[in-house]
C-alpha cells in the first residue's frame, strides 16, 4: 500500500507541475502550450518554466498533508526532486 501511495503522490506531483507550466504559459506568456514550450526552449528559459510550474507542487503538498496523506506527500517531494535534477540538465 505504501508503494502505491508513493507512486500516486509522484504522479500528482508531476501533473501539478505540468498544470503550473500550462497555466504560466497560457496566462502570462499568452501562447499555445506547445508553441510556448518550444519558444522557451529556444530562448533557454525552459528550466525557469519548470521551476515556476513546481509552485503548484507546494499547493498539492499542503493539501495532502492536510488530508493526512503523508506517504503521498512524500511522492510529491520525490517528484520535485526529480524535476530539479531534470532542470539541471536542461
Amino acid at each position: 500500500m505504501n508503494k502505491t501511495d508513493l507512486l500516486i503522490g509522484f504522479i500528482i506531483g508531476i501533473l501539478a507541475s505540468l498544470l503550473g507550466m500550462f497555466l504560466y504559459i497560457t496566462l502570462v506568456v499568452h501562447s499555445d502550450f506547445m508553441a510556448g514550450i518550444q519558444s522557451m526552449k529556444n530562448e533557454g528559459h525552459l528550466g525557469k518554466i519548470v521551476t515556476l510550474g513546481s509552485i503548484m507542487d507546494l499547493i498539492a503538498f499542503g493539501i495532502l498533508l492536510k488530508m493526512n496523506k503523508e506517504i503521498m506527500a512524500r511522492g510529491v517531494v520525490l517528484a520535485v526532486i526529480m524535476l530539479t535534477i531534470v532542470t539541471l540538465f536542461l
Side-chain angles (χ1 to χ4, degrees):
M1 188 70 166
N2 287 341
K3 290 182 182 179
T4 23
D5 287 343
L6 189 69
L7 180 65
I8 291 170
F10 181 78
I11 292 170
I12 289 172
I14 296 295
L15 291 177
S17 181
L18 286 174
L19 177 67
M21 289 171 50
F22 177 77
L23 289 175
Y24 178 78
I25 289 175
T26 56
L27 296 178
V28 176
V29 179
H30 301 292
S31 178
D32 183 42
F33 182 65
M34 291 308 291
I37 292 288
Q38 287 297 328
S39 68
M40 293 296 167
K41 184 177 180 183
N42 292 337
E43 295 174 11
H45 298 298
L46 189 58
K48 295 175 185 175
I49 300 297
V50 173
T51 304
L52 285 172
S54 294
I55 293 173
M56 294 296 284
D57 287 332
L58 181 64
I59 296 169
F61 182 76
I63 290 171
L64 288 172
L65 284 181
K66 253 326 182 192
M67 296 171 50
N68 292 327
K69 303 283 185 180
E70 289 86 13
I71 304 297
M72 285 186 191
R74 285 184 195 176
V76 171
V77 171
L78 183 64
V80 170
I81 291 170
M82 196 256 339
L83 286 171
T84 304
I85 292 171
V86 167
T87 303
L88 286 173
F89 295 112
L90 293 178

